[in-house]
Amino acid sequence: MSGSAAPRFVVAPPQWSAEEYPTLPGSPAKLKHSVRRRVAYCLVAILVGLTGGLGNGLVVANLQAIQGQLGLTTVEAAWLPAVYYMFNMTANLLVFKFRQQFGLRLFAELGLGIYAALAVLHVFVHTFEISLLVRAASGLTAAAATSLGSLYMIQVLPRQKVFSAFIVGMSLSSMAVPLAWVLSPWLVDVSPWPSLYAFEAGLALCCLAAVMLFKLPVGMQVHVFERLDFVTFLLVAPAIALLCAVLVQGVNVWWFDTPWLAWALAGSLLLFALAAVVEWSRQTPLIRLRWLLHPSTLGFALGALVMRFMVSEQSYGAVGLLRMLGMQSDQLQPLYGVILVGMVLGTTLSALLFARERVLWMILISIALISVGGWIDWNSTSLVRPHDFFFSQFLMSVAAALFIGPILISGMVQAISKGYDHIITFVVLFSVTQSLGGVLGPALLGTYQAQRTELYLQAIAAEMPASSAQVAQRLQSQQQAYARVLTDPALQKQAGNAQLAQIVKREAGVRAYNDVFLLIGLMTFSFLGYAVLRQAWLYYQAKVHPIITRTFVYKKIHT
């Protein structure tokens, strides 16, 4: 490790050959395996990687059903995915060092064991408190499962294909979200809603059995934990939790109407500041703030956050519009099947085409695909159905899978060039940008959509005066529609007015979602233009500018 003393081994490592030596402390050795063993490792990687995100995906896909079964309010139901993100982001603070000192296998077995036990308990005890505990355990387990899936996949492919294996392993948890939407209608149709709890518990138990049966090769374990690491963790963990709470609940309770949001945000900033004070003065910090605050690192973080934010058009924009129009999970199933195919294709292309010199082009292509998808969804109407979004969301899913691998590996290589002790900072940075982008996207886009809906409601109401003949005719037709079931004219009029108001609100919502699509399209187009111009400027400085400078200096010397 650059700039640090020789590592203190927890256990003396075996005598590995140069080909078998682990890439990093905490990573397993790269041994030669039989074809049967490689197939087993591949299956375990897929199982563990998908399980890491499938539990939360099932909750998000069936949040309305959970809310109804447990008798929750909208605010209470929103805490379920919020708790998952809280624990998932905070777990990444310690999971890398834990795997370096104790091995990732121990962390995975502990996490999967707790997750499986709580999930099994949830099959028999249907309470809101148990649901929160299961989501917390799911978030902790997902942090280890994502890394574990990558490490298992690395054992499958040759050493020269380690980056491709890493891309596939890291992408598995992202594929779990559309897979959850594809599976949910079938699971609910087979048996009552608690079957989803049993399915989640079964997956956790299968993962625990697979990890214990097909163990990873022994890795290099070194002493890395320090007492102040836990002080930093105890400050940053609640800071992240408070920030997640603000972002998730801001739209539900509204930003300016709920005082506790301001107190939570202030508390989050204070805890982050205290953690920064602790880390800044440490010789071997848990988070290397000086590197984190470097312009190149901040640029990487901003780019990764913006990319994740733009992909939110898929989870919030198109799906949100369809659900507002009354589409249920079984009707959205084909759309998510297309999204899943797109993510598989994007991951495959990313793994096959990845090379250091192609990273920029792969990212630019991803931004272009997101931009095209946003423009295609613009000008939607209340008559759109899931099949109208097949092509645009396919492009979005390909783009989401195409950029994640290159941007992750390029950032990791940049961190390793500064020293292996910078990797934990990068892991935290990347996980926070992706998880925070996933929460920030719906929060900001939801706020924008709500405000635009109110503006369109006012605009439509202004264009529909009660004295208008068209409005009177529409109200009369609405009242006649209820004449067969309501004999009282007053009730007919009341029901007709309510029905017309509902139609107006629907049309205002559709226009607001079109504004969301337009906003995403403009953002991606601007981001793409900035990236192209910046690369052109760097090319000019590297190729053209030195030639002009050398020519000018040569003429000056010889005159």
Side-chain angles (χ1 to χ4, degrees):
M1 299 182 185
S2 65
S4 60
R8 296 184 298 114
F9 294 108
V10 176
V11 180
Q15 297 298 318
W16 292 300
S17 64
E19 293 78 15
E20 297 173 341
Y21 210 84
T23 306
L24 299 170
S27 299
K30 189 68 175 70
L31 306 181
K32 293 181 179 180
H33 303 292
S34 64
V35 175
R36 181 178 297 180
R37 191 77 175 178
R38 289 176 186 271
V39 172
Y41 277 148
C42 181
L43 295 176
V44 174
I46 295 173
L47 175 63
V48 174
L50 291 177
T51 302
L54 197 57
N56 185 60
L58 290 171
V59 169
V60 173
N62 299 277
L63 193 58
Q64 292 181 352
I66 297 175
Q67 180 179 344
Q69 184 195 21
L70 298 181
L72 307 178
T73 64
T74 302
V75 174
E76 290 173 333
W79 283 116
L80 296 176
V83 167
Y84 171 86
Y85 284 115
M86 291 176 187
F87 280 80
N88 181 251
M89 281 192 280
T90 54
N92 284 289
L93 287 168
L94 296 181
V95 65
F96 192 80
K97 276 198 170 184
F98 191 99
R99 114 185 193 193
Q100 285 183 314
Q101 185 160 336
F102 302 105
L104 182 63
R105 189 166 61 196
L106 176 60
F107 183 88
E109 291 175 356
L110 289 175
L112 286 169
I114 296 173
Y115 178 35
L118 289 173
V120 171
L121 178 63
H122 202 14
V123 174
F124 303 100
V125 183
H126 302 161
T127 64
F128 180 54
E129 293 74 19
I130 295 297
S131 295
L132 291 176
L133 290 176
V134 173
R135 298 280 59 80
S138 177
L140 287 172
T141 306
T146 303
S147 299
L148 199 63
S150 299
L151 295 179
Y152 270 101
M153 192 60 71
I154 289 173
Q155 297 293 321
V156 177
L157 298 180
R159 196 177 189 94
Q160 59 270 24
K161 297 290 185 180
V162 62
F163 284 152
S164 297
F166 190 73
I167 290 173
V168 174
M170 292 297 294
S171 301
L172 289 171
S173 60
S174 300
M175 297 179 192
V177 177
L179 181 61
W181 282 87
V182 172
L183 294 176
S184 290
W186 291 333
L187 291 173
V188 174
D189 286 343
V190 169
S191 59
W193 160 248
S195 63
L196 286 179
Y197 298 142
F199 181 73
E200 186 177 6
L203 280 177
L205 291 171
C206 288
C207 285
L208 181 61
V211 169
M212 298 184 71
L213 183 62
F214 297 99
K215 296 182 181 295
L216 286 169
V218 176
M220 186 193 311
Q221 296 177 226
V222 296
H223 290 280
V224 289
F225 273 118
E226 298 180 3
R227 291 182 179 178
L228 286 179
D229 289 341
F230 300 98
V231 175
T232 301
F233 177 79
L234 292 176
L235 290 172
V236 174
I240 291 177
L242 290 173
L243 182 59
C244 284
V246 172
L247 293 177
V248 170
Q249 298 290 10
V251 179
N252 296 322
V253 299
W254 202 246
W255 307 96
F256 305 112
D257 296 341
T258 310
W260 72 261
L261 291 177
W263 289 107
L265 184 59
S268 175
L269 295 176
L270 177 61
L271 291 171
F272 276 128
L274 292 175
V277 171
V278 173
E279 292 294 284
W280 190 267
S281 58
R282 294 181 60 186
Q283 186 176 1
T284 55
L286 178 66
I287 302 174
R288 297 197 168 263
L289 291 178
R290 290 176 175 82
W291 179 69
L292 189 63
L293 296 176
H294 192 273
S296 62
T297 310
L298 291 176
F300 168 84
L302 180 61
L305 182 64
V306 170
M307 288 290 292
R308 184 65 183 86
F309 178 85
M310 292 186 299
V311 175
S312 297
E313 193 269 358
Q314 185 172 77
S315 59
Y316 177 80
V319 175
L321 173 59
L322 290 172
R323 299 197 78 171
M324 187 196 72
L325 294 175
M327 301 296 106
Q328 302 299 320
S329 297
D330 57 336
Q331 295 168 298
L332 295 174
Q333 189 180 38
L335 175 60
Y336 273 100
V338 172
I339 293 173
L340 180 60
V341 171
M343 296 196 73
V344 172
L345 177 60
T347 301
T348 304
L349 291 175
S350 182
L352 293 177
L353 300 177
F354 177 81
R356 295 284 295 278
E357 61 274 10
R358 297 196 191 110
V359 168
L360 176 64
W361 293 107
M362 295 173 73
I363 294 176
L364 291 178
I365 291 173
S366 298
I367 301 173
L369 292 176
I370 296 172
S371 179
V372 172
W375 286 110
I376 292 175
D377 292 340
W378 188 42
N379 283 332
S380 297
T381 69
S382 57
L383 299 178
V384 295
R385 293 299 178 262
H387 64 268
D388 296 312
F389 292 95
F390 279 1
F391 183 62
S392 63
Q393 298 310 305
F394 177 79
L395 295 180
M396 287 273 188
S397 57
V398 171
L402 192 62
F403 91 87
I404 193 73
I407 201 171
L408 173 62
I409 292 177
S410 62
M412 182 169 290
V413 170
Q414 181 182 353
I416 292 176
S417 66
K418 297 295 183 180
Y420 289 142
D421 48 3
H422 285 64
I423 295 180
I424 178 62
T425 304
F426 169 75
V427 171
V428 173
L429 173 66
F430 185 79
S431 64
V432 167
T433 57
Q434 296 308 291
S435 298
L436 195 61
V439 177
L440 189 64
L444 296 185
L445 294 178
T447 302
Y448 180 69
Q449 193 269 341
Q451 290 181 329
R452 299 301 296 175
T453 299
E454 289 299 321
L455 290 176
Y456 282 124
L457 279 173
Q458 297 174 11
I460 295 175
E463 296 175 359
M464 295 176 57
S467 59
S468 172
Q470 292 182 344
V471 174
Q473 184 179 4
R474 185 62 181 264
L475 283 173
Q476 185 178 3
S477 63
Q478 294 293 137
Q479 294 171 18
Q480 290 176 353
Y482 288 97
R484 296 182 179 180
V485 292
L486 296 175
T487 57
D488 188 348
L491 292 179
Q492 293 177 11
K493 183 178 180 179
Q494 183 179 359
N497 291 340
Q499 182 68 17
L500 183 59
Q502 186 177 359
I503 293 173
V504 170
K505 185 176 181 180
R506 182 193 66 193
E507 295 301 323
V510 171
R511 291 188 185 183
Y513 271 107
N514 278 327
D515 288 348
V516 171
F517 298 143
L518 179 61
L519 177 64
I520 293 294
L522 291 174
M523 285 184 59
T524 51
F525 185 77
S526 302
F527 192 50
L528 178 62
Y530 165 76
V532 172
L533 290 176
R534 183 176 182 275
Q535 187 60 25
W537 173 248
L538 293 176
Y539 178 83
Y540 168 78
Q541 287 184 317
K543 300 293 184 181
V544 181
H545 185 65
I547 296 176
I548 297 176
T549 303
R550 287 196 299 267
T551 304
F552 175 78
V553 173
Y554 177 82
K555 289 182 178 180
K556 186 174 182 179
I557 291 175
H558 287 78
T559 54

